[in-house]
PDB file of all heavy atoms in Angstrom:
ATOM      1  N   VAL A  19      89.371 167.621 143.488  1.00 93.00           N
ATOM      2  CA  VAL A  19      89.851 167.014 142.230  1.00 93.00           C
ATOM      3  C   VAL A  19      88.803 166.174 141.606  1.00 93.00           C
ATOM      4  O   VAL A  19      87.806 165.838 142.232  1.00 93.00           O
ATOM      5  CB  VAL A  19      91.115 166.110 142.495  1.00 93.00           C
ATOM      6  CG1 VAL A  19      92.269 166.864 143.072  1.00 93.00           C
ATOM      7  CG2 VAL A  19      90.749 164.907 143.346  1.00 93.00           C
ATOM      8  N   SER A  20      88.968 165.945 140.313  1.00 95.00           N
ATOM      9  CA  SER A  20      88.052 164.970 139.621  1.00 95.00           C
ATOM     10  C   SER A  20      88.988 164.001 138.921  1.00 95.00           C
ATOM     11  O   SER A  20      90.160 164.222 138.809  1.00 95.00           O
ATOM     12  CB  SER A  20      87.154 165.665 138.645  1.00 95.00           C
ATOM     13  OG  SER A  20      87.926 166.507 137.805  1.00 95.00           O
ATOM     14  N   MET A  21      88.460 162.879 138.502  1.00 97.00           N
ATOM     15  CA  MET A  21      89.231 161.839 137.881  1.00 97.00           C
ATOM     16  C   MET A  21      89.737 162.277 136.503  1.00 97.00           C
ATOM     17  O   MET A  21      88.910 162.697 135.697  1.00 97.00           O
ATOM     18  CB  MET A  21      88.399 160.516 137.710  1.00 97.00           C
ATOM     19  CG  MET A  21      87.963 159.839 138.949  1.00 97.00           C
ATOM     20  SD  MET A  21      89.325 159.418 140.152  1.00 97.00           S
ATOM     21  CE  MET A  21      90.281 158.283 139.124  1.00 97.00           C
ATOM     22  N   ASN A  22      91.028 162.260 136.349  1.00 96.00           N
ATOM     23  CA  ASN A  22      91.570 162.596 135.012  1.00 96.00           C
ATOM     24  C   ASN A  22      91.731 161.342 134.227  1.00 96.00           C
ATOM     25  O   ASN A  22      92.876 160.686 134.160  1.00 96.00           O
ATOM     26  CB  ASN A  22      92.921 163.327 135.194  1.00 96.00           C
ATOM     27  CG  ASN A  22      93.547 163.708 133.909  1.00 96.00           C
ATOM     28  OD1 ASN A  22      92.972 163.475 132.825  1.00 96.00           O
ATOM     29  ND2 ASN A  22      94.666 164.406 133.940  1.00 96.00           N
ATOM     30  N   PHE A  23      90.623 160.875 133.622  1.00 97.00           N
ATOM     31  CA  PHE A  23      90.695 159.628 132.880  1.00 97.00           C
ATOM     32  C   PHE A  23      91.607 159.604 131.720  1.00 97.00           C
ATOM     33  O   PHE A  23      92.071 158.529 131.239  1.00 97.00           O
ATOM     34  CB  PHE A  23      89.300 159.209 132.456  1.00 97.00           C
ATOM     35  CG  PHE A  23      88.428 158.698 133.548  1.00 97.00           C
ATOM     36  CD1 PHE A  23      87.417 159.520 134.097  1.00 97.00           C
ATOM     37  CD2 PHE A  23      88.634 157.452 134.121  1.00 97.00           C
ATOM     38  CE1 PHE A  23      86.587 159.043 135.120  1.00 97.00           C
ATOM     39  CE2 PHE A  23      87.861 157.011 135.139  1.00 97.00           C
ATOM     40  CZ  PHE A  23      86.805 157.787 135.645  1.00 97.00           C
ATOM     41  N   ASP A  24      92.003 160.781 131.188  1.00 96.00           N
ATOM     42  CA  ASP A  24      92.926 160.834 130.054  1.00 96.00           C
ATOM     43  C   ASP A  24      94.347 160.619 130.483  1.00 96.00           C
ATOM     44  O   ASP A  24      95.181 160.399 129.643  1.00 96.00           O
ATOM     45  CB  ASP A  24      92.786 162.176 129.347  1.00 96.00           C
ATOM     46  CG  ASP A  24      91.370 162.400 128.819  1.00 96.00           C
ATOM     47  OD1 ASP A  24      90.722 161.418 128.424  1.00 96.00           O
ATOM     48  OD2 ASP A  24      90.909 163.529 128.847  1.00 96.00           O
ATOM     49  N   ASP A  25      94.597 160.740 131.820  1.00 96.00           N
ATOM     50  CA  ASP A  25      95.935 160.540 132.243  1.00 96.00           C
ATOM     51  C   ASP A  25      96.035 159.898 133.620  1.00 96.00           C
ATOM     52  O   ASP A  25      96.668 160.501 134.572  1.00 96.00           O
ATOM     53  CB  ASP A  25      96.673 161.960 132.256  1.00 96.00           C
ATOM     54  CG  ASP A  25      98.151 161.823 132.492  1.00 96.00           C
ATOM     55  OD1 ASP A  25      98.738 160.782 132.184  1.00 96.00           O
ATOM     56  OD2 ASP A  25      98.777 162.823 132.919  1.00 96.00           O
ATOM     57  N   LEU A  26      95.426 158.721 133.781  1.00 96.00           N
ATOM     58  CA  LEU A  26      95.409 158.018 135.101  1.00 96.00           C
ATOM     59  C   LEU A  26      96.825 157.666 135.492  1.00 96.00           C
ATOM     60  O   LEU A  26      97.095 157.463 136.656  1.00 96.00           O
ATOM     61  CB  LEU A  26      94.513 156.825 135.040  1.00 96.00           C
ATOM     62  CG  LEU A  26      93.004 157.014 134.953  1.00 96.00           C
ATOM     63  CD1 LEU A  26      92.275 155.776 134.816  1.00 96.00           C
ATOM     64  CD2 LEU A  26      92.538 157.828 136.181  1.00 96.00           C
ATOM     65  N   ASN A  27      97.719 157.524 134.537  1.00 96.00           N
ATOM     66  CA  ASN A  27      99.080 157.180 134.867  1.00 96.00           C
ATOM     67  C   ASN A  27      99.997 158.371 135.115  1.00 96.00           C
ATOM     68  O   ASN A  27     101.188 158.251 135.268  1.00 96.00           O
ATOM     69  CB  ASN A  27      99.708 156.357 133.679  1.00 96.00           C
ATOM     70  CG  ASN A  27      99.714 154.881 134.082  1.00 96.00           C
ATOM     71  OD1 ASN A  27      99.567 154.535 135.221  1.00 96.00           O
ATOM     72  ND2 ASN A  27      99.918 154.004 133.048  1.00 96.00           N
ATOM     73  N   ALA A  28      99.428 159.596 135.146  1.00 96.00           N
ATOM     74  CA  ALA A  28     100.193 160.826 135.489  1.00 96.00           C
ATOM     75  C   ALA A  28     101.417 160.910 134.641  1.00 96.00           C
ATOM     76  O   ALA A  28     102.516 161.184 135.132  1.00 96.00           O
ATOM     77  CB  ALA A  28     100.537 160.829 136.994  1.00 96.00           C
ATOM     78  N   GLU A  29     101.280 160.725 133.365  1.00 96.00           N
ATOM     79  CA  GLU A  29     102.456 160.808 132.475  1.00 96.00           C
ATOM     80  C   GLU A  29     102.714 162.268 132.057  1.00 96.00           C
ATOM     81  O   GLU A  29     103.834 162.624 131.748  1.00 96.00           O
ATOM     82  CB  GLU A  29     102.273 159.914 131.246  1.00 96.00           C
ATOM     83  CG  GLU A  29     102.601 158.438 131.597  1.00 96.00           C
ATOM     84  CD  GLU A  29     101.941 157.386 130.750  1.00 96.00           C
ATOM     85  OE1 GLU A  29     100.716 157.426 130.553  1.00 96.00           O
ATOM     86  OE2 GLU A  29     102.701 156.562 130.190  1.00 96.00           O
ATOM     87  N   ASN A  30     101.625 163.061 132.036  1.00 94.00           N
ATOM     88  CA  ASN A  30     101.805 164.449 131.643  1.00 94.00           C
ATOM     89  C   ASN A  30     101.968 165.397 132.812  1.00 94.00           C
ATOM     90  O   ASN A  30     101.150 166.116 133.237  1.00 94.00           O
ATOM     91  CB  ASN A  30     100.550 164.959 130.857  1.00 94.00           C
ATOM     92  CG  ASN A  30     100.155 163.957 129.763  1.00 94.00           C
ATOM     93  OD1 ASN A  30     101.101 163.330 129.225  1.00 94.00           O
ATOM     94  ND2 ASN A  30      98.903 163.842 129.526  1.00 94.00           N
ATOM     95  N   GLY A  31     103.127 165.175 133.551  1.00 91.00           N
ATOM     96  CA  GLY A  31     103.341 166.034 134.728  1.00 91.00           C
ATOM     97  C   GLY A  31     102.861 165.323 135.950  1.00 91.00           C
ATOM     98  O   GLY A  31     101.804 164.789 135.976  1.00 91.00           O
ATOM     99  N   TYR A  32     103.664 165.334 137.012  1.00 93.00           N
ATOM    100  CA  TYR A  32     103.265 164.614 138.192  1.00 93.00           C
ATOM    101  C   TYR A  32     103.181 165.561 139.355  1.00 93.00           C
ATOM    102  O   TYR A  32     104.189 166.231 139.761  1.00 93.00           O
ATOM    103  CB  TYR A  32     104.372 163.552 138.494  1.00 93.00           C
ATOM    104  CG  TYR A  32     104.094 162.707 139.773  1.00 93.00           C
ATOM    105  CD1 TYR A  32     103.235 161.626 139.665  1.00 93.00           C
ATOM    106  CD2 TYR A  32     104.635 163.062 140.976  1.00 93.00           C
ATOM    107  CE1 TYR A  32     102.976 160.813 140.837  1.00 93.00           C
ATOM    108  CE2 TYR A  32     104.361 162.262 142.124  1.00 93.00           C
ATOM    109  CZ  TYR A  32     103.543 161.164 142.040  1.00 93.00           C
ATOM    110  OH  TYR A  32     103.322 160.427 143.126  1.00 93.00           O
ATOM    111  N   ASN A  33     102.014 165.686 139.916  1.00 91.00           N
ATOM    112  CA  ASN A  33     101.804 166.527 141.120  1.00 91.00           C
ATOM    113  C   ASN A  33     101.409 165.575 142.242  1.00 91.00           C
ATOM    114  O   ASN A  33     100.303 165.022 142.187  1.00 91.00           O
ATOM    115  CB  ASN A  33     100.739 167.620 140.861  1.00 91.00           C
ATOM    116  CG  ASN A  33     100.340 168.364 142.088  1.00 91.00           C
ATOM    117  OD1 ASN A  33     100.535 167.840 143.231  1.00 91.00           O
ATOM    118  ND2 ASN A  33      99.768 169.484 141.935  1.00 91.00           N
ATOM    119  N   PRO A  34     102.253 165.364 143.228  1.00 88.00           N
ATOM    120  CA  PRO A  34     102.036 164.334 144.205  1.00 88.00           C
ATOM    121  C   PRO A  34     100.673 164.507 144.965  1.00 88.00           C
ATOM    122  O   PRO A  34      99.987 163.509 145.165  1.00 88.00           O
ATOM    123  CB  PRO A  34     103.212 164.448 145.190  1.00 88.00           C
ATOM    124  CG  PRO A  34     103.972 165.647 144.804  1.00 88.00           C
ATOM    125  CD  PRO A  34     103.580 166.037 143.399  1.00 88.00           C
ATOM    126  N   LEU A  35     100.367 165.805 145.287  1.00 88.00           N
ATOM    127  CA  LEU A  35      99.160 165.956 146.068  1.00 88.00           C
ATOM    128  C   LEU A  35      97.898 165.636 145.216  1.00 88.00           C
ATOM    129  O   LEU A  35      96.921 165.084 145.630  1.00 88.00           O
ATOM    130  CB  LEU A  35      99.067 167.430 146.561  1.00 88.00           C
ATOM    131  CG  LEU A  35     100.084 167.782 147.684  1.00 88.00           C
ATOM    132  CD1 LEU A  35     100.083 169.322 147.905  1.00 88.00           C
ATOM    133  CD2 LEU A  35      99.774 167.043 148.909  1.00 88.00           C
ATOM    134  N   GLN A  36      97.978 166.064 143.953  1.00 92.00           N
ATOM    135  CA  GLN A  36      96.882 165.842 142.991  1.00 92.00           C
ATOM    136  C   GLN A  36      96.677 164.341 142.790  1.00 92.00           C
ATOM    137  O   GLN A  36      95.523 163.841 142.813  1.00 92.00           O
ATOM    138  CB  GLN A  36      97.269 166.482 141.632  1.00 92.00           C
ATOM    139  CG  GLN A  36      96.230 166.429 140.557  1.00 92.00           C
ATOM    140  CD  GLN A  36      95.422 167.783 140.597  1.00 92.00           C
ATOM    141  OE1 GLN A  36      95.849 168.780 141.141  1.00 92.00           O
ATOM    142  NE2 GLN A  36      94.270 167.691 139.986  1.00 92.00           N
ATOM    143  N   VAL A  37      97.769 163.604 142.560  1.00 94.00           N
ATOM    144  CA  VAL A  37      97.708 162.192 142.301  1.00 94.00           C
ATOM    145  C   VAL A  37      97.230 161.412 143.509  1.00 94.00           C
ATOM    146  O   VAL A  37      96.351 160.558 143.391  1.00 94.00           O
ATOM    147  CB  VAL A  37      99.112 161.661 141.875  1.00 94.00           C
ATOM    148  CG1 VAL A  37      99.205 160.153 141.878  1.00 94.00           C
ATOM    149  CG2 VAL A  37      99.484 162.231 140.472  1.00 94.00           C
ATOM    150  N   TYR A  38      97.659 161.808 144.679  1.00 92.00           N
ATOM    151  CA  TYR A  38      97.171 161.236 145.951  1.00 92.00           C
ATOM    152  C   TYR A  38      95.647 161.512 146.113  1.00 92.00           C
ATOM    153  O   TYR A  38      94.837 160.583 146.392  1.00 92.00           O
ATOM    154  CB  TYR A  38      97.961 161.809 147.105  1.00 92.00           C
ATOM    155  CG  TYR A  38      97.501 161.204 148.446  1.00 92.00           C
ATOM    156  CD1 TYR A  38      97.841 159.928 148.836  1.00 92.00           C
ATOM    157  CD2 TYR A  38      96.693 161.954 149.339  1.00 92.00           C
ATOM    158  CE1 TYR A  38      97.448 159.424 150.054  1.00 92.00           C
ATOM    159  CE2 TYR A  38      96.264 161.467 150.588  1.00 92.00           C
ATOM    160  CZ  TYR A  38      96.641 160.149 150.898  1.00 92.00           C
ATOM    161  OH  TYR A  38      96.237 159.640 152.078  1.00 92.00           O
ATOM    162  N   ALA A  39      95.246 162.815 145.898  1.00 92.00           N
ATOM    163  CA  ALA A  39      93.872 163.169 146.060  1.00 92.00           C
ATOM    164  C   ALA A  39      92.979 162.346 145.084  1.00 92.00           C
ATOM    165  O   ALA A  39      91.891 161.886 145.475  1.00 92.00           O
ATOM    166  CB  ALA A  39      93.704 164.638 145.784  1.00 92.00           C
ATOM    167  N   GLN A  40      93.470 162.140 143.857  1.00 96.00           N
ATOM    168  CA  GLN A  40      92.655 161.433 142.867  1.00 96.00           C
ATOM    169  C   GLN A  40      92.522 160.027 143.252  1.00 96.00           C
ATOM    170  O   GLN A  40      91.456 159.376 143.057  1.00 96.00           O
ATOM    171  CB  GLN A  40      93.328 161.595 141.456  1.00 96.00           C
ATOM    172  CG  GLN A  40      92.557 160.878 140.397  1.00 96.00           C
ATOM    173  CD  GLN A  40      93.175 161.146 138.988  1.00 96.00           C
ATOM    174  OE1 GLN A  40      92.674 161.815 138.211  1.00 96.00           O
ATOM    175  NE2 GLN A  40      94.321 160.489 138.764  1.00 96.00           N
ATOM    176  N   SER A  41      93.578 159.393 143.825  1.00 96.00           N
ATOM    177  CA  SER A  41      93.448 158.008 144.267  1.00 96.00           C
ATOM    178  C   SER A  41      92.416 157.879 145.397  1.00 96.00           C
ATOM    179  O   SER A  41      91.762 156.839 145.514  1.00 96.00           O
ATOM    180  CB  SER A  41      94.854 157.453 144.727  1.00 96.00           C
ATOM    181  OG  SER A  41      95.231 157.980 145.917  1.00 96.00           O
ATOM    182  N   LYS A  42      92.375 158.856 146.240  1.00 95.00           N
ATOM    183  CA  LYS A  42      91.391 158.826 147.309  1.00 95.00           C
ATOM    184  C   LYS A  42      89.979 159.060 146.889  1.00 95.00           C
ATOM    185  O   LYS A  42      88.991 158.499 147.472  1.00 95.00           O
ATOM    186  CB  LYS A  42      91.775 159.835 148.441  1.00 95.00           C
ATOM    187  CG  LYS A  42      93.156 159.537 149.100  1.00 95.00           C
ATOM    188  CD  LYS A  42      93.035 158.337 150.067  1.00 95.00           C
ATOM    189  CE  LYS A  42      93.866 157.175 149.683  1.00 95.00           C
ATOM    190  NZ  LYS A  42      93.718 156.015 150.570  1.00 95.00           N
ATOM    191  N   LEU A  43      89.808 159.861 145.852  1.00 96.00           N
ATOM    192  CA  LEU A  43      88.552 160.042 145.209  1.00 96.00           C
ATOM    193  C   LEU A  43      88.103 158.748 144.543  1.00 96.00           C
ATOM    194  O   LEU A  43      86.908 158.332 144.671  1.00 96.00           O
ATOM    195  CB  LEU A  43      88.562 161.149 144.143  1.00 96.00           C
ATOM    196  CG  LEU A  43      87.301 161.297 143.269  1.00 96.00           C
ATOM    197  CD1 LEU A  43      86.107 161.716 144.137  1.00 96.00           C
ATOM    198  CD2 LEU A  43      87.557 162.376 142.190  1.00 96.00           C
ATOM    199  N   ALA A  44      89.040 158.040 143.950  1.00 98.00           N
ATOM    200  CA  ALA A  44      88.781 156.718 143.331  1.00 98.00           C
ATOM    201  C   ALA A  44      88.249 155.760 144.343  1.00 98.00           C
ATOM    202  O   ALA A  44      87.322 154.961 144.044  1.00 98.00           O
ATOM    203  CB  ALA A  44      90.033 156.190 142.639  1.00 98.00           C
ATOM    204  N   ASN A  45      88.752 155.813 145.568  1.00 97.00           N
ATOM    205  CA  ASN A  45      88.313 154.911 146.642  1.00 97.00           C
ATOM    206  C   ASN A  45      86.769 155.098 146.867  1.00 97.00           C
ATOM    207  O   ASN A  45      86.025 154.144 147.118  1.00 97.00           O
ATOM    208  CB  ASN A  45      88.987 155.149 147.987  1.00 97.00           C
ATOM    209  CG  ASN A  45      90.514 154.810 147.948  1.00 97.00           C
ATOM    210  OD1 ASN A  45      91.310 155.456 148.640  1.00 97.00           O
ATOM    211  ND2 ASN A  45      90.849 153.820 147.206  1.00 97.00           N
ATOM    212  N   ILE A  46      86.364 156.410 146.868  1.00 97.00           N
ATOM    213  CA  ILE A  46      84.937 156.686 147.086  1.00 97.00           C
ATOM    214  C   ILE A  46      84.095 156.281 145.953  1.00 97.00           C
ATOM    215  O   ILE A  46      83.032 155.690 146.081  1.00 97.00           O
ATOM    216  CB  ILE A  46      84.742 158.221 147.452  1.00 97.00           C
ATOM    217  CG1 ILE A  46      85.690 158.599 148.616  1.00 97.00           C
ATOM    218  CG2 ILE A  46      83.296 158.485 147.838  1.00 97.00           C
ATOM    219  CD1 ILE A  46      85.654 160.068 148.941  1.00 97.00           C
ATOM    220  N   LEU A  47      84.518 156.644 144.730  1.00 98.00           N
ATOM    221  CA  LEU A  47      83.753 156.229 143.518  1.00 98.00           C
ATOM    222  C   LEU A  47      83.580 154.752 143.468  1.00 98.00           C
ATOM    223  O   LEU A  47      82.532 154.184 143.185  1.00 98.00           O
ATOM    224  CB  LEU A  47      84.439 156.738 142.267  1.00 98.00           C
ATOM    225  CG  LEU A  47      84.520 158.259 142.066  1.00 98.00           C
ATOM    226  CD1 LEU A  47      85.519 158.673 140.965  1.00 98.00           C
ATOM    227  CD2 LEU A  47      83.148 158.853 141.789  1.00 98.00           C
TER     228      LEU A  47
END
């Protein structure tokens, strides 16, 4: 995954795995 800066709040559709993965990428960045 990469950071979706346009939708950090996952307002345009919520995919739990995607959102979790992005939060874990954020930890590394």
Side-chain angles (χ1 to χ4, degrees):
V19 298
S20 50
M21 295 304 298
N22 181 0
F23 284 106
D24 300 327
D25 190 24
L26 287 177
N27 256 345
E29 281 157 306
N30 311 328
Y32 181 85
N33 172 337
L35 291 170
Q36 185 95 17
V37 167
Y38 179 75
Q40 183 174 249
S41 73
K42 295 287 118 184
L43 173 62
N45 294 148
I46 305 175
L47 292 168

